[in-house]
Structure formats: C-alpha cells, structure tokens
Amino acid sequence: MSNRRKHSTGSPFEKAAAYSRAVRQGPFVHVAGTTGYDYDAMQMPADVADQARNCFTTIAASLAALDASLADIVRVRYYVTKPEYFEAVAPVLAEHLGGIDPAATMIVCQLIRPEMLIEIEVTAQVA
C-alpha cells in the first residue's frame, strides 16, 4: 500500500464515517459517493441540477488533488431519489462528462438525508 494516497474535503461526514473523499491506488482513483453540498459553506441547494453541479465541483477538485481529472473517469454511478430527476440532471452530466462518456449506472434510491437528491461516485484511471 506504499503508493496509496488519500484526499479529504474536510467534510464532517468523512470524519464521522471514517472514509476518504478519494483514494488513489496505482493508476486508479476512486471517489466516494459525493452529494451536492457546497463544502465551503456546508449548504445544500434545493435544486437537483445545482446539487449535481456541486457534486462535480467536489469530484473534480478531489481528482485534481490526486493528479487526475474528469477526463480520466472510466466509471460513474448516479444515485437519485426520484426517477424524474433524470431530465433535470442529464444536461449537467453531459456538460461535465460529454465526450468522456464513461460507463454509467443510475440508481433510484433513498439517501441518508432528505435534502440530498443526488449522489455521484466515480472511478478514474490515469495513464
């Protein structure tokens, strides 16, 4: 595990649940499920598309901290609390991952807090 690197956003969730926002092991960067909080203000927008944008801001910063970028993403999983959120978030997903086109799955489920409408996790592979 000597080449294992970790990144934290400082989110209280990371400390409470003992996890890293992202872990790099060799060429792979695994970014934990990321919700739409603005971690600087610890505020959550009410709109699912705005939450998705915040997810990508956090994900991009976490990837960059481990010498990767959105362009390196090979797998993404989206968790939404309602199926109808797809129409609202699809343009945001295309904005951030269009042309990268990673393998993707969208799951409808309940998240741990009612204000959380979307959670995104990614895996990147750095050449």
Side-chain angles (χ1 to χ4, degrees):
M1 286 212 291
S2 62
N3 66 349
R4 183 179 189 168
R5 295 169 49 204
K6 300 182 288 185
H7 173 71
S8 174
T9 62
S11 161
F13 298 114
E14 294 167 18
K15 185 174 182 179
Y19 72 94
S20 297
R21 175 65 47 203
V23 175
R24 180 166 181 169
Q25 182 77 40
F28 293 99
V29 181
H30 303 275
V31 181
T34 302
T35 60
Y37 280 102
D38 171 341
Y39 285 107
D40 291 331
M42 277 311 291
Q43 294 181 345
M44 178 73 79
D47 180 73
V48 69
D50 289 337
Q51 287 189 25
R53 285 183 191 89
N54 283 354
C55 292
F56 279 110
T57 297
T58 301
I59 290 167
S62 296
L63 288 168
L66 296 174
D67 304 317
S69 72
L70 294 177
D72 298 313
I73 293 173
V74 295
R75 181 76 168 115
V76 60
R77 289 178 184 88
Y78 306 105
Y79 304 89
V80 293
T81 57
K82 294 182 180 180
E84 56 268 24
Y85 287 157
F86 175 77
E87 286 79 18
V89 300
V92 179
L93 309 181
E95 174 186 336
H96 290 88
L97 296 178
I100 300 165
D101 306 330
T105 301
M106 185 171 287
I107 300 163
V108 179
C109 63
Q110 187 175 22
L111 297 175
I112 63 168
R113 298 246 169 113
E115 67 270 18
M116 296 174 175
L117 306 178
I118 186 168
E119 185 168 341
I120 302 172
E121 74 175 280
V122 305
T123 301
Q125 184 175 9
V126 182

